[in-house]
Amino acid sequence: MNRLSILFAALLLAGCAPEESSTPSTKTALPEGVEFVEQVASQAGKTVIPYHKYTLSNGLTLILHEDHSDPLVHVDVTYHVGSAREEVGKSGFAHFFEHMMFQGSENVADEQHFKLITEAGGTMNGTTNSDRTNYYQTVPANQLEKVLWLESDRMGYLLDAVTQEKFEVQRETVKNERGQRIDNRPYGRLYERVAAALYPDGHPYSWPVIGYMEDLNRVDVNDLKAFFLRWYGPNNATLTIGGDIDIEEALVLVERYFGAIPRGPEVAKPKKAPASLEEDRYISMEDNVHLPLIHISFPTVRIRHEDEAPLDVLSFILGSGKTSLLYKNLVKSQMAVQAQASHPCQELACTFNLLALPHPASGKSLADMETVIRATLDEFEKRGVQDDDLTKAKAQMEAGFVFGLQSVSGKVSQLASNETFTGNPNYIEEDIARYNNVTKADVMRVYRQYIKGNHAVIMSVVPNGQADMVAKKDTYTQGKRKGIDSVKLVKEEDLKLRRAEADFDRSVIPTAGANRPVDVPEMWRNEMANGIKVLGTQSTETPTTSLLLKIPAGHYYTSPQKAGMASLLAQMLSESTSKRSAEEMTKALEMLGSRVSVYADNHYINVSINTLSKHLDATMDLVAEKLFEPALLPDEFERRRSNAIQSIKNNKKNASYLASTAYRQLLHDDNIAALPGGGTEQTLAEMSVDDVKAFYEQHFLPAKAQLIVVSELDQKALEPHLTSLAKWEGKGPELAIELPVPAVEAGTIYLVNKEDAAQSAIRIGKRSLTYDVTGEFYKAYLMNFPLGGAFNSRINLNLREDKGYTYGARSFFDGDLLSGNYTASAEVRADVTDKSIVEFMEEIRNYADNGITAEELAFMRNAINQKDALRYETPRAKLGFLAKILEYDLDPNFVEKRTEIVKSISADEINSLAKKHLNPDDMIMVVVGDAETLKPQLEALGYKVVNYDV
């Protein structure tokens, strides 16, 4: 990863180490089998993550972070195993286990892990990369014991529950994930191909994390079990718990549930293995893309090498944002629609990557792109490193670090990662020092050592049938992978099983105590003389201020002929002002570490502002300049407009985009809502900068605007910082729009062609309820929850877990004050498109006809009503909560009303809503896939099939 985005505490922390203790607090009694390692305490004025570290006798490392700011806990179990630990010919096992670990264990039934966490009001997931796998849950604090029971059961009691049948289902799920995220996505195989050319055959990074499907097809469940036995012992794991916990109670619970799990085989740290190239390797690939792409990858060092930090700064200078050299030479000049540099680092090796997509109007080829990129490197060498380069980079790191501490999950993840890869949860102090100490000479040295004159993998991705567009004819061809013909499969008798013996009945699910009270954030209100309504709350956990300004000038305020206008204006507000160029404005914000983004939705142009509170005044001055003094220059407009058109063309290679676009058009009838917020090729082509100026003058005004604020400052201290917004004057026109239901033919499949698609994108639904907070829309949301609103909903369990048709399927009600819809959606294997539609319709019809079960009703009530602890934790969550109150003019007690609705809604009312809103015969279907293959299959289902163009 590029640590510029997540590390550094600059002057706030420089030179100050946290207070450490070599003995535990005298009040902490250690359970037998638990050994204290160290304590790092917080100190006033210093930003550290306090923790206690322990080890269990079986080798499990335990880190506890006590934080009582919110009544929730985050639990992370990180295993030091990723795809780099796999054998040649058995790729994808680490990622496969990410799936298998959710499929039940000896005392946890199939799908019960998801059910219990969701029912507890929590969230959960797992992730795998080349170097580690982690599983994590955020839950209300009273659910900690249940989470530890679940995590320990799959660590110590998994294998008896891993069957060949489960293996087969999850193998199909992994194939669907690969199809959705890689094979069916433009440029999806880019990094897989680059890695295979960059690293020698058999190198741990030479295969993709998700694995080669032929490897997964070759092996069986015993191979998977052997992998688990080798790597998933407690001595190769770190358990990190953060949040509203009591240290002594947590220690007792951890020892109870994890202490009896046997130690696994010893695990040595992997050897660092940066790549090395003796010559440039040109490779290429044809893909279903609109724009060609060039990607240049230089091998460098490995994570936390002394040269990682200066290489990160180099990538920032060359290709991060509008002040970078690649932006100046390629994007601003309109030679490319995108250009960037990055320095992603992994445990064993890092790469320095440069990427560009040429703009078709420039007439430049990928060979031209390579020439300009290499000329930019030469320019950098002549230019050198400027003072501002280091200041900007370090300011961005400071802000990124501080904002990363706003959630307990962010703090726990930092502790877990540092422990896993360094053995020191407090390694952040060393990270800060090495970035803070980067000098100009360091950056120039690493450029000359790793980039200048060095060899790289140069990858060209070109549209299908246009192989002549590559930057250079291939000079490297990946040979057949060695060793896969002699892969030895594991027999059941070869498994060296370990069994944990608990001294209590592990089949009993721990019961949770009462929910700890969750306070709705205390709010203050104001209305400026110019009509801006303000709603704010104080949050003192980090020295930051976040604001969201919503101006009523969104997509719906434009005509169908000018679709995309609001989006283009939002983009132009991030360009030059009357006082500064876009690059100068970006530089000014980067020097502060502040982040300002402007974007449009259906109703509003939104301005998101995040800053360290010490820079609030300076940031707000820059925001005022962006908003009230935009230059709206013709050349910047033309670049933005042209890039938007290319983005639309590129998106049309994406099945999900095509499905959502067609579905939107069919749900609306010849009005602005039928058109995408970003516009169409035609509307953008006919738009001028004068149109944008006129829209700005007429609509970008403060009356009825909304400002939501979450800050460490209270109202009295904050309001003086908002005077620049108070001086703004004017009132735009009222929104005058109707969105009638179109006369589309229900029961029809609208088929959008995407040739040779590995997966089909499906949307099923109809126009439905408009949004409300405590009325029928909200009750319909509750009704749909067991059908398609959770991981263990009927739809997802059927299509993903039972049939293996998809990586995920869902259904939902969506809407605003003007319109709404009910939608069921999934990306499915192309060969089961027709079968998937059958299953979708049968699930919806069965639920409408037969209703909710008593178990589902109880599950829904528990899941919805125990989420409160997660709703208000971070400033971002608080912004969203307050924004809803302001937009819909709600009394804060709407939360209590919703809670009462969830408690009191009956099965009869839910079933009545299901019959009313879930008649499949009222719905249309959109399918995106290979039309020639799919049309006869879909017609065989008995539906009318209409070819549809987007």
Side-chain angles (χ1 to χ4, degrees):
M1 58 184 171
N2 190 325
R3 303 181 69 80
L4 283 171
S5 62
I6 62 170
L7 291 173
F8 195 73
L11 300 178
L12 187 66
L13 294 171
C16 300
E19 181 181 8
E20 296 191 18
S21 171
S22 59
T23 58
S25 169
T26 55
K27 72 173 185 177
T28 304
L30 296 181
E32 184 179 353
V34 177
E35 180 181 351
F36 173 79
V37 178
E38 66 176 355
Q39 176 183 350
V40 170
S42 60
Q43 286 187 358
K46 298 190 174 107
T47 306
V48 296
I49 309 173
Y51 66 87
H52 295 69
K53 178 179 174 180
Y54 306 87
T55 57
L56 274 62
S57 57
N58 58 11
L60 178 68
T61 298
L62 171 65
I63 302 168
L64 300 177
H65 165 65
E66 196 169 1
D67 176 4
H68 300 290
S69 57
D70 295 284
L72 54 81
V73 293
H74 185 82
V75 178
D76 177 291
V77 179
T78 297
Y79 296 91
H80 196 171
V81 54
S83 59
R85 302 276 198 181
E86 295 161 355
E87 300 175 35
V88 172
K90 294 185 179 182
S91 65
F93 275 23
H95 172 261
F96 202 115
F97 250 106
E98 182 197 320
H99 288 254
M100 293 302 298
M101 295 274 267
F102 288 105
Q103 299 309 304
S105 47
E106 185 174 322
N107 301 291
V108 181
D110 297 357
E111 318 307 337
Q112 192 176 20
H113 198 129
F114 280 102
K115 183 177 186 296
L116 289 174
I117 296 300
T118 304
E119 192 172 31
T123 62
M124 63 182 296
N125 212 333
T127 66
T128 308
N129 62 30
S130 57
D131 305 312
R132 64 101 186 99
T133 304
N134 76 329
Y135 303 89
Y136 54 90
Q137 291 96 166
T138 306
V139 295
N142 65 323
Q143 302 289 336
L144 174 60
E145 184 174 3
K146 190 177 296 181
V147 173
L148 296 179
W149 173 72
L150 287 166
E151 284 292 358
S152 61
D153 212 66
R154 61 183 175 187
M155 178 185 286
Y157 304 83
L158 180 79
L159 291 190
D160 285 346
V162 175
T163 64
Q164 186 68 34
E165 181 181 5
K166 288 183 183 180
F167 175 85
E168 297 295 347
V169 170
Q170 291 310 309
R171 175 154 54 186
E172 291 305 308
T173 301
V174 171
K175 290 179 181 178
N176 287 317
E177 181 178 359
R178 181 182 171 92
Q180 183 173 326
R181 294 187 169 182
I182 298 176
D183 297 332
N184 211 38
R185 178 175 293 181
Y187 315 107
R189 290 174 288 157
L190 168 65
Y191 295 105
E192 178 180 307
R193 288 289 311 281
V194 170
L198 186 66
Y199 298 104
D201 185 57
H203 187 284
Y205 291 167
S206 64
W207 53 79
V209 172
I210 200 168
Y212 292 115
M213 292 305 100
E214 58 265 33
D215 288 355
L216 290 179
N217 286 333
R218 180 186 303 112
V219 300
D220 68 11
V221 68
N222 290 325
D223 296 279
L224 202 67
K225 288 182 177 181
F227 188 79
F228 178 88
L229 289 165
R230 175 65 186 91
W231 300 110
Y232 288 80
N235 50 307
N236 195 36
T238 298
L239 169 62
T240 309
I241 306 170
D244 191 9
I245 62 172
D246 177 272
I247 297 292
E248 290 186 11
E249 291 177 1
L251 286 170
V252 171
L253 290 174
V254 169
E255 198 285 325
R256 172 179 172 83
Y257 287 106
F258 289 87
I261 300 174
R263 189 182 189 94
E266 296 307 306
V267 177
K269 286 186 177 291
K271 295 181 180 180
K272 312 304 180 184
S276 178
L277 298 173
E278 296 180 356
E279 60 183 1
D280 285 339
R281 291 181 173 179
Y282 284 85
I283 59 175
S284 64
M285 176 182 69
E286 294 182 32
D287 197 4
N288 188 11
V289 296
H290 167 62
L291 296 174
L293 175 150
I294 186 169
H295 182 279
I296 304 174
S297 187
F298 293 90
T300 58
V301 288
R302 39 87 180 164
I303 200 167
R304 293 188 175 88
H305 184 279
E306 62 182 6
D307 289 341
E308 181 198 5
L311 281 162
D312 282 351
V313 175
L314 174 63
S315 75
F316 184 87
I317 297 168
L318 284 172
S320 179
K322 291 180 181 176
T323 59
S324 69
L325 296 178
L326 286 176
Y327 180 88
K328 173 180 71 74
N329 293 343
L330 285 169
V331 179
K332 189 175 182 181
S333 67
Q334 297 191 51
M335 289 178 60
V337 299
Q338 183 181 344
Q340 62 189 44
S342 62
H343 185 236
C345 263
Q346 299 165 276
E347 185 175 18
L348 309 183
C350 310
T351 58
F352 194 95
N353 302 329
L354 304 122
L355 174 151
L357 288 82
H359 196 300
S362 70
K364 300 297 183 181
S365 65
L366 291 184
D368 296 326
M369 292 293 104
E370 182 183 359
T371 298
V372 175
I373 290 171
R374 293 189 183 277
T376 301
L377 296 176
D378 294 337
E379 178 186 352
F380 165 75
E381 184 175 21
K382 296 173 183 177
R383 165 192 181 273
V385 182
Q386 301 172 354
D387 292 336
D388 288 351
D389 291 333
L390 295 181
T391 304
K392 288 185 299 182
K394 293 176 180 181
Q396 291 294 302
M397 285 186 279
E398 176 189 4
F401 174 73
V402 174
F403 278 99
L405 299 182
Q406 290 183 329
S407 68
V408 67
S409 63
K411 289 179 277 192
V412 165
S413 297
Q414 188 74 46
L415 292 169
S417 177
N418 285 339
E419 170 62 30
T420 299
F421 296 117
T422 72
N424 176 14
N426 193 44
Y427 196 86
I428 198 165
E429 286 293 318
E430 297 181 46
D431 273 330
I432 290 164
R434 65 194 180 98
Y435 279 89
N436 198 31
N437 293 333
V438 171
T439 66
K440 296 179 183 180
D442 289 331
V443 179
M444 295 307 299
R445 174 181 56 78
V446 296
Y447 166 75
R448 295 187 177 104
Q449 183 173 348
Y450 300 103
I451 309 300
K452 182 183 179 181
N454 283 30
H455 299 297
V457 171
I458 302 95
M459 174 74 174
S460 297
V461 181
V462 299
N464 287 332
Q466 300 185 43
D468 57 339
M469 295 181 68
V470 300
K472 187 175 181 179
K473 187 176 179 181
D474 289 10
T475 62
Y476 174 80
T477 301
Q478 182 183 2
K480 181 180 178 181
R481 290 188 294 141
K482 298 175 183 177
I484 61 173
D485 293 333
S486 57
V487 171
K488 183 179 180 181
L489 301 183
V490 176
K491 298 179 181 179
E492 187 171 1
E493 56 267 27
D494 296 331
L495 297 174
K496 299 178 181 179
L497 297 174
R498 305 185 298 272
R499 295 197 176 275
E501 300 294 338
D503 58 2
F504 63 96
D505 186 357
R506 287 196 60 98
S507 67
V508 177
I509 302 175
T511 57
N515 266 357
R516 301 182 190 179
V518 181
D519 295 325
V520 174
E522 292 187 9
M523 291 165 266
W524 54 268
R525 290 177 181 262
N526 192 14
E527 183 168 342
M528 298 181 183
N530 58 8
I532 299 178
K533 294 181 179 180
V534 186
L535 185 61
T537 190
Q538 188 175 17
S539 178
T540 59
E541 292 180 46
T542 55
T544 60
T545 296
S546 296
L547 305 97
L548 177 63
L549 176 64
K550 303 173 66 176
I551 301 103
H555 178 54
Y556 282 175
Y557 286 81
T558 64
S559 68
Q561 295 74 29
K562 300 295 182 182
M565 179 82 73
S567 177
L568 264 182
L569 173 57
Q571 295 175 55
M572 292 297 292
L573 294 175
S574 293
E575 293 291 343
S576 298
T577 69
S578 61
K579 294 179 180 178
R580 304 168 216 253
S581 68
E583 293 78 15
E584 290 169 338
M585 173 60 74
T586 300
K587 176 181 175 180
L589 288 167
E590 287 177 343
M591 297 286 280
L592 301 172
S594 299
R595 302 171 186 179
V596 179
S597 61
V598 188
Y599 58 94
D601 60 28
N602 285 341
H603 292 272
Y604 300 95
I605 289 181
N606 304 276
V607 185
S608 173
I609 306 160
N610 292 282
T611 182
L612 300 178
S613 295
K614 64 183 179 180
H615 296 317
L616 180 56
D617 271 340
T619 300
M620 291 305 295
D621 287 343
L622 293 170
V623 169
E625 185 180 322
K626 287 170 74 75
L627 301 185
F628 309 144
E629 302 178 69
L632 303 179
L633 300 176
D635 60 331
E636 293 180 339
F637 167 80
E638 179 54 37
R639 174 169 47 79
R640 287 284 191 173
R641 182 179 70 125
S642 181
N643 286 353
I645 291 173
Q646 295 306 317
S647 178
I648 292 170
K649 290 180 177 179
N650 211 35
N651 284 337
K652 287 185 176 180
K653 300 295 184 178
N654 185 300
S656 180
Y657 173 86
L658 291 171
S660 297
T661 302
Y663 188 62
R664 182 192 304 110
Q665 292 172 355
L666 290 162
L667 290 187
H668 295 279
D669 186 18
D670 194 26
N671 57 52
I672 189 63
L675 300 173
T680 68
E681 294 174 55
Q682 181 178 353
T683 62
L684 292 175
E686 296 175 356
M687 202 176 298
S688 70
V689 69
D690 289 336
D691 293 326
V692 173
K693 289 179 180 178
F695 185 79
Y696 172 82
E697 295 292 339
Q698 185 178 9
H699 293 277
F700 199 81
L701 297 166
K704 296 194 175 180
Q706 300 164 15
L707 178 65
I708 304 97
V709 185
V710 179
S711 176
E712 63 163 328
L713 307 174
D714 62 20
Q715 180 182 3
K716 183 177 180 180
L718 180 72
E719 286 185 330
H721 299 283
L722 306 178
T723 54
S724 59
L725 297 178
K727 296 175 183 177
W728 185 19
E729 295 181 351
K731 181 180 181 180
E734 298 288 337
L735 179 61
I737 183 176
E738 294 183 2
L739 303 178
V741 178
V744 291
E745 189 175 353
T748 300
I749 296 177
Y750 294 88
L751 180 58
V752 181
N753 185 42
K754 186 178 187 292
E755 292 182 3
D756 301 322
Q759 287 192 317
S760 298
I762 296 175
R763 304 289 185 270
I764 300 171
K766 63 175 184 173
R767 283 284 290 274
S768 189
L769 296 163
T770 56
Y771 181 84
D772 64 54
V773 177
T774 56
E776 188 169 352
F777 180 93
Y778 181 66
K779 292 178 180 179
Y781 156 72
L782 301 178
M783 175 270 289
N784 176 70
F785 193 77
L787 173 64
F791 180 89
N792 53 311
S793 67
R794 294 186 185 188
I795 286 174
N796 193 57
L797 290 184
N798 182 342
L799 273 78
R800 171 177 160 138
E801 300 301 317
D802 295 344
K803 303 295 190 306
Y805 290 169
T806 180
Y807 181 54
R810 61 181 186 142
S811 64
F812 55 92
F813 285 87
D814 185 34
D816 57 26
L817 292 176
L818 297 177
S819 69
N821 61 78
Y822 173 76
T823 304
S825 68
E827 324 288 312
V828 303
R829 283 197 343 250
D831 64 318
V832 294
T833 305
D834 53 346
K835 296 182 178 65
S836 298
I837 288 177
V838 170
E839 296 301 327
F840 260 123
M841 300 303 268
E842 287 186 354
E843 288 291 356
I844 295 170
R845 190 181 302 278
N846 180 54
Y847 192 68
D849 290 345
N850 300 311
I852 193 170
T853 67
E855 182 182 0
E856 287 173 334
L857 180 59
F859 166 73
M860 180 275 291
R861 284 177 172 158
N862 290 333
I864 301 299
N865 268 351
Q866 296 194 90
K867 284 183 176 180
D868 284 351
L870 281 67
R871 286 190 178 121
Y872 323 121
E873 182 199 5
T874 65
R876 181 178 178 181
K878 290 181 173 72
L879 275 178
F881 176 72
L882 269 60
K884 181 171 291 186
I885 290 176
L886 204 53
E887 181 173 358
Y888 293 99
D889 193 24
L890 304 175
D891 189 302
N893 71 0
F894 84 89
V895 175
E896 298 172 10
K897 292 180 181 178
R898 280 186 163 184
T899 299
E900 185 56 38
I901 290 171
V902 175
K903 289 180 180 178
S904 63
I905 192 169
S906 67
D908 287 342
E909 186 172 4
I910 284 178
N911 294 342
S912 177
L913 288 167
K915 288 183 182 297
K916 180 179 178 180
H917 295 291
L918 299 183
N919 182 358
D921 296 334
D922 295 339
M923 300 179 188
I924 62 169
M925 290 155 277
V926 172
V927 176
V928 178
D930 190 292
E932 183 177 355
T933 303
L934 292 178
K935 190 168 185 178
Q937 298 174 5
L938 298 175
E939 288 176 332
L941 297 178
Y943 294 108
K944 179 180 178 181
V945 180
V946 176
N947 292 327
Y948 191 83
D949 291 327
V950 174

